[in-house]
Amino acid sequence: MNSQIRIESKFMLSGNNIKLFSISFLSIISRLFLLFAPPISLYFLFFSDNSNAFPMIENQYFSFLLKTTICLVISLFSIYLFFGIKNCEAYTYFVASKGVNPRLKPTLRKASPKFVFKSLLLHIKILILKLFWLFFYALPWAICLTILTYMYIKSTLPYSIFIILSFATSLLFSLCLFMYKATVFRYSLSLYYLLFNKKEKINTAIKKSIKSTDSYIQNALLLKASLTGWLLSCILLIPIPYVLPYYKLCNTIFLHYCVAEKLSEQKSKGYAINYLRLEKNQESI
């Protein structure tokens, strides 16, 4: 399955590599700029030496209120553009994963205030869930590491026992990391359910994402692990204009495969239900 996804990604990149890389590159640069715009404006208006260049207002409270309002407007506008660009990039790659060239007008619609607001709430909720699962899986490892460190400082363990326990703690860390990655992967399709369904609710999108990806967690982790080498090699061997679209397109094709399998499964179940109802009606006749 993963090898087929990589082959499909390479095939779809032929002729579209520069286009997809330009979208990803512009998305990264613009989102980085928008991420630093609020703190830069805050520093410039309140703490910089150039803040004296701001038009002098006799009333200090009004001046403070005006500066705060400017920072708030810049922050809100940056947040809006940040998630709007993220929506457009996600939509572009998902459409490209189906072998269709994304059009500009439908893509820009995903940056509308309605989609941006819903995606913002979705990311906040997913962030809360990720923090919860991070604490849940990291707690056992943190307890073991704390106990091991305390016993090492107190010199109550032989060196050989310490090495064995350190190796066991490392294995526990790997297991916790694997479980965390497997758990948060189930939320990967939530954004796409929102982007392609205008009336979709956030909780419903998350539930659908969990149902669609539950059966493919192992394949997803293997795919990400196999692509890690590509990300590392692009520093020295392969240029990033090829690796970045390839990495994102592989992940998006995998998610599209999850959605397609879920839809085919639902259709087959719906046909079976209709067939049973038909047979029941015939028996009653």
Side-chain angles (χ1 to χ4, degrees), residues 43-62:
Y43 172 77
F44 178 78
L45 291 174
F46 287 97
F47 305 104
S48 174
D49 295 334
N50 296 324
S51 60
N52 296 326
F54 194 82
M56 297 298 295
I57 300 176
E58 295 181 359
N59 192 331
Q60 294 182 354
Y61 295 103
F62 182 74

Side-chain angles (χ1 to χ4, degrees), residues 86-103:
K86 187 177 180 64
N87 289 351
C88 293
E89 183 188 17
Y91 176 82
T92 300
Y93 270 93
F94 198 83
V95 172
S97 68
K98 298 187 291 185
V100 180
N101 289 326
R103 293 180 297 172

Side-chain angles (χ1 to χ4, degrees), residues 267-283:
K267 288 180 180 179
S268 62
K269 287 184 178 180
Y271 175 77
I273 291 173
N274 292 332
Y275 178 76
L276 291 175
R277 286 179 179 175
L278 179 62
E279 290 293 321
K280 184 177 180 180
N281 291 333
Q282 287 179 351
E283 288 178 1

Side-chain angles (χ1 to χ4, degrees), residues 50-274:
N50 296 324
S51 60
N52 296 326
F54 194 82
M56 297 298 295
I57 300 176
E58 295 181 359
N59 192 331
Q60 294 182 354
Y61 295 103
F62 182 74
S63 176
F64 176 78
L65 180 63
L66 181 60
K67 292 180 180 180
T68 305
T69 303
I70 293 175
C71 288
L72 183 62
V73 170
I74 292 175
S75 300
L76 293 177
F77 187 69
S78 299
I79 292 173
Y80 172 78
L81 289 180
F82 183 92
F83 286 98
I85 294 171
K86 187 177 180 64
N87 289 351
C88 293
E89 183 188 17
Y91 176 82
T92 300
Y93 270 93
F94 198 83
V95 172
S97 68
K98 298 187 291 185
V100 180
N101 289 326
R103 293 180 297 172
L104 181 62
K105 189 174 180 180
T107 303
L108 293 179
R109 288 176 185 170
K110 306 307 174 183
S112 63
K114 180 180 179 180
F115 282 109
V116 170
F117 181 70
K118 291 181 70 175
S119 65
L120 174 60
L121 295 180
L122 175 68
H123 281 89
I124 292 175
K125 185 161 187 176
I126 291 178
L127 177 61
I128 294 173
L129 291 172
K130 286 183 176 180
L131 291 175
F132 168 77
W133 289 116
L134 179 63
F135 176 79
F136 179 80
Y137 289 118
L139 183 61
W141 172 77
I143 293 174
C144 294
L145 181 63
T146 303
I147 296 174
L148 182 63
T149 305
Y150 175 80
M151 297 178 70
Y152 176 75
I153 293 174
K154 294 297 183 179
S155 301
T156 58
L157 283 177
Y159 183 73
S160 58
I161 302 298
F162 174 75
I163 294 297
I164 295 173
L165 292 179
S166 299
F167 180 72
T169 305
S170 302
L171 289 180
L172 180 62
F173 173 77
S174 301
L175 178 62
C176 292
L177 181 63
F178 174 81
M179 295 300 297
Y180 171 76
K181 288 289 187 180
T183 304
V184 299
F185 165 75
R186 302 184 304 164
Y187 309 132
S188 303
L189 271 170
S190 304
L191 179 61
Y192 299 102
Y193 277 115
L194 281 184
L195 293 179
F196 287 89
N197 298 278
K198 295 181 179 179
K199 300 181 180 180
E200 193 74 88
K201 296 181 179 180
I202 295 175
N203 292 332
T204 306
I206 294 176
K207 291 179 181 178
K208 285 183 177 181
S209 177
I210 293 174
K211 291 181 180 179
S212 299
T213 56
D214 262 343
S215 304
Y216 305 98
I217 293 177
Q218 181 179 358
N219 291 330
L221 295 179
L222 290 175
L223 178 63
K224 289 182 179 295
S226 65
L227 294 174
T228 304
W230 283 89
L231 294 177
L232 296 176
S233 64
C234 71
I235 301 175
L236 299 174
L237 302 175
I238 305 174
I240 195 171
Y242 176 79
V243 176
L244 186 61
Y246 175 69
Y247 177 81
K248 290 190 174 184
L249 193 57
C250 282
N251 288 285
T252 311
I253 290 175
F254 182 85
L255 293 176
H256 181 261
Y257 176 83
C258 294
V259 174
E261 288 295 316
K262 187 64 179 179
L263 289 175
S264 62
E265 181 182 347
Q266 289 177 348
K267 288 180 180 179
S268 62
K269 287 184 178 180
Y271 175 77
I273 291 173
N274 292 332

